[in-house]
Amino acid sequence: MKILDTINALQNWRKSIAHDKSVGIVPTMGALHDGHRSLIARCRRENDICVVSIFVNPTQFNDPNDLATYPVTFEEDRAICEAEGVDAIFMPQYGDLYPDDYRYRVSEDRESCLLCGAHRPGHFDGVLSVVMKLFNLAQPRRAYFGEKDWQQLQLVKGMVDAFFMPVSVVACPTVRETDDLALSSRNRRLTSDHRKKAARFPHLLSTDASAAEVARLLKTDGFEVDYVEDFRGRRCAAIHCGGVRLIDNLPAPKTEDR
Amino acid sequence: MKILDTINALQNWRKSIAHDKSVGIVPTMGALHDGHRSLIARCRRENDICVVSIFVNPTQFNDPNDLATYPVTFEEDRAICEAEGVDAIFMPQYGDLYPDDYRYRVSEDRESCLLCGAHRPGHFDGVLSVVMKLFNLAQPRRAYFGEKDWQQLQLVKGMVDAFFMPVSVVACPTVRETDDLALSSRNRRLTSDHRKKAARFPHLLSTDASAAEVARLLKTDGFEVDYVEDFRGRRCAAIHCGGVRLIDNLPAPKTEDR
């Protein structure tokens, strides 16, 4: 497994791959968990070559504290990638990916302002911009994203279509703990008590109650609620639990479809 | 010579080209003149395949009247391309290039706000967005731009670097009339009197006077002046002559360098 820690290293590695080989990419911010493993496994099955990028992208963090406390576990990440048969890890520094210091960006002006976008100004500009850079560098045939970040998935798909990027975006189902909490790198930051309590989140989200009622019940349980909203057949929500932001989404109850 | 008037036609044509052949693109808004011919000739010399795009891109027009009066001369354009040995013309419609109706865009937040950007809000967002679409569709090894649109050239180069796009941007010298007026599609809209008068623009721009003095002299000559500014060793200017906007640039006099 190659560790590619510069743009040059990635570009040289990419050039060494024959034109008839398919490359798949799994873009991550590290702190890999079984959700990432499922993306990697699928990427491996569907492509000749699998590259995982690990980059905690500062431009998508609106909250400096969230960035500062984002878990970094490189040695474990490397071991997971090795075990999963990844061909290369791309792990650049900020200055490598942003030679322009983020003067240039990609943005979307409608759906990026809803849901998480309404609570995290600029978040999706950062996501779209870094994903575009990674796609242009790795030139993958397929890219793998988890449905847990549903809004991100829709916006990345929209960007690829709008700019005619030659890559297929593959959506992969959310992986959950046995108590149904969606896997997330941020779950590591939950105390044991908050971790137990967090299972109420997917539980309440999956009821037939209205979005407003679910929000009310989450607040009653002591969560800080950013939003619970039904959008395009999906019930999406973001809450804070012991200072840790958690998001999730499920098919919306039929009567709640917008 | 192929006429590709849909995304599918362009993509199928692009797929039919062998991996070891180089494609060059000359992005244009039509109304081709000898400036474009010089870009096309160079593109032909340096690449196996030459594609010219013709698309009057509405997202880069801040002035609806400028868009409405922009010259369209497709039959002449086709004849020029044929004579120059162009392999394909790509001429999409708005809905083809903007399936998202411009929800997604590329922007630059510093130099795009200066010079022409200060007078044409949103202009460079439109330019960068359409150029990115064209590059992703045509997948050229090289792309040819005239130095007449100097700020555009710098911003396109910056975008290519910031997003690691696998294309070389080739700058080509401004082509001028015998009286030194820079060739421009908009020159066709000048009346004969204004056309004669317009030669004062490159003449005054090339003197050793300060930028402010040049602006004063242009106003004295009856031009409406958007700006005359020295920026990064270049003297750039935009004026209106009989309702037609003209731009030009030359190396700045040494003492005027910022």
Side-chain angles (χ1 to χ4, degrees):
Chain A
M1 186 176 70
K2 297 269 190 197
I3 304 289
L4 308 166
D5 57 5
T6 66
I7 300 292
N8 267 347
L10 177 66
Q11 287 178 324
N12 289 334
W13 173 81
R14 186 62 188 84
K15 273 185 205 142
S16 74
I17 297 168
H19 281 296
D20 60 344
K21 297 283 186 194
S22 61
V23 170
I25 190 170
V26 182
T28 83
M29 299 209 297
L32 303 183
H33 50 64
D34 284 356
H36 297 111
R37 289 174 84 112
S38 76
L39 303 179
I40 293 169
R42 181 150 178 204
C43 179
R44 282 263 295 151
R45 278 202 306 279
E46 297 181 348
N47 300 277
D48 299 312
I49 307 280
C50 170
V51 58
V52 172
S53 63
I54 297 180
F55 177 63
V56 182
N57 176 36
T59 66
Q60 73 188 69
F61 283 84
N62 55 307
D63 175 357
N65 185 53
D66 188 26
L67 174 59
T69 58
Y70 200 85
V72 173
T73 60
F74 179 66
E75 284 312 319
E76 294 168 44
D77 294 348
R78 179 209 288 256
I80 287 172
C81 288
E82 192 96 61
E84 291 292 336
V86 165
D87 296 284
I89 295 178
F90 177 48
M91 37 180 303
Q93 299 296 310
Y94 175 81
D96 299 325
L97 275 186
Y98 291 93
D100 60 320
D101 203 14
Y102 200 39
R103 269 171 53 208
Y104 290 85
R105 69 183 66 186
V106 190
S107 60
E108 192 273 352
D109 67 2
R110 200 171 324 163
E111 298 191 5
S112 75
C113 306
L114 309 175
L115 307 176
C116 277
H119 294 269
R120 304 186 67 187
H123 169 63
F124 289 114
D125 291 7
V127 169
L128 294 178
S129 299
V130 80
V131 167
M132 181 173 281
K133 289 168 192 265
L134 292 171
F135 284 3
N136 285 341
L137 283 165
Q139 297 175 31
R141 190 174 303 173
R142 297 181 194 86
Y144 295 80
F145 290 84
E147 287 183 337
K148 202 265 275 173
D149 300 293
W150 187 82
Q151 189 179 11
Q152 167 178 284
L153 172 66
Q154 307 312 313
L155 287 164
V156 168
K157 279 183 175 175
M159 173 180 79
V160 163
D161 290 346
F163 289 109
F164 307 100
M165 306 184 75
V167 54
S168 295
V169 174
V170 181
C172 302
T174 302
V175 178
R176 298 179 179 280
E177 301 278 7
T178 49
D179 65 0
D180 285 339
L181 180 67
L183 295 196
S184 164
S185 301
R186 287 186 180 85
N187 293 355
R188 297 169 193 251
R189 293 180 44 218
L190 294 167
T191 61
S192 149
D193 279 358
H194 283 124
R195 171 62 193 81
K196 268 180 221 157
K197 192 176 140 184
R200 292 284 291 162
F201 181 33
H203 175 71
L204 287 172
L205 208 59
S206 63
T207 63
D208 283 339
S210 71
E213 177 65 6
V214 170
R216 198 188 62 76
L217 292 169
L218 284 164
K219 283 177 199 162
T220 305
D221 274 0
F223 298 111
E224 184 191 329
V225 177
D226 271 1
Y227 65 87
V228 180
E229 279 187 52
D230 295 343
F231 187 69
R232 299 208 171 164
R234 210 75 193 167
R235 175 160 290 179
C236 302
I239 62 166
H240 296 258
C241 175
V244 179
R245 193 171 189 274
L246 303 176
I247 65 173
D248 203 347
N249 68 92
L250 289 166
K254 284 280 181 278
T255 53
E256 288 292 318
D257 280 3
R258 273 192 200 165
Chain B
M1 186 176 70
K2 297 268 189 197
I3 304 289
L4 308 166
D5 56 6
T6 66
I7 300 291
N8 267 347
L10 176 66
Q11 287 177 326
N12 289 333
W13 173 81
R14 186 62 187 85
K15 273 185 206 145
S16 74
I17 297 169
H19 280 296
D20 61 343
K21 298 283 185 193
S22 62
V23 171
I25 189 170
V26 182
T28 83
M29 299 208 299
L32 303 182
H33 50 64
D34 284 356
H36 297 111
R37 290 174 82 113
S38 76
L39 302 179
I40 293 169
R42 182 150 177 204
C43 180
R44 282 264 294 149
R45 277 201 308 278
E46 297 181 348
N47 300 278
D48 299 313
I49 308 281
C50 170
V51 58
V52 172
S53 64
I54 298 181
F55 177 64
V56 182
N57 176 36
T59 66
Q60 73 188 68
F61 283 83
N62 55 308
D63 175 357
N65 185 53
D66 188 26
L67 173 59
T69 58
Y70 200 86
V72 173
T73 60
F74 179 65
E75 285 311 319
E76 294 167 46
D77 295 346
R78 179 208 288 256
I80 288 172
C81 288
E82 192 97 61
E84 291 291 337
V86 166
D87 297 283
I89 295 178
F90 178 48
M91 39 180 302
Q93 300 296 310
Y94 175 80
D96 299 325
L97 275 186
Y98 291 94
D100 60 319
D101 203 12
Y102 200 39
R103 269 170 53 207
Y104 290 85
R105 69 183 65 186
V106 190
S107 59
E108 192 273 351
D109 68 1
R110 201 172 322 164
E111 298 191 4
S112 75
C113 306
L114 309 174
L115 307 175
C116 277
H119 294 269
R120 304 186 69 187
H123 169 63
F124 288 115
D125 291 7
V127 169
L128 295 178
S129 299
V130 80
V131 167
M132 181 174 281
K133 288 167 192 267
L134 292 171
F135 284 3
N136 285 341
L137 283 165
Q139 297 175 31
R141 189 175 303 174
R142 297 182 193 85
Y144 295 80
F145 289 85
E147 287 184 338
K148 202 265 275 172
D149 300 293
W150 186 83
Q151 189 179 11
Q152 167 178 284
L153 172 65
Q154 307 311 316
L155 286 164
V156 168
K157 280 183 175 176
M159 174 181 77
V160 163
D161 290 346
F163 289 109
F164 306 100
M165 305 184 74
V167 55
S168 295
V169 174
V170 181
C172 301
T174 302
V175 178
R176 297 178 180 281
E177 302 279 7
T178 50
D179 64 0
D180 285 340
L181 181 67
L183 295 196
S184 164
S185 301
R186 288 187 179 85
N187 292 355
R188 298 168 192 249
R189 295 181 43 219
L190 294 167
T191 62
S192 148
D193 278 358
H194 283 125
R195 171 62 193 83
K196 268 180 220 155
K197 193 177 140 184
R200 292 282 292 161
F201 181 32
H203 175 72
L204 287 172
L205 207 60
S206 63
T207 64
D208 283 340
S210 70
E213 177 65 6
V214 170
R216 200 188 60 77
L217 292 169
L218 284 164
K219 283 177 197 162
T220 305
D221 273 0
F223 297 111
E224 184 191 329
V225 178
D226 270 1
Y227 65 87
V228 180
E229 279 187 51
D230 295 343
F231 187 70
R232 299 207 173 165
R234 210 75 192 168
R235 175 160 289 179
C236 302
I239 62 166
H240 296 259
C241 174
V244 179
R245 193 171 190 272
L246 302 176
I247 66 173
D248 202 347
N249 68 91
L250 289 166
K254 285 281 182 279
T255 52
E256 288 291 319
D257 280 4
R258 274 194 200 162

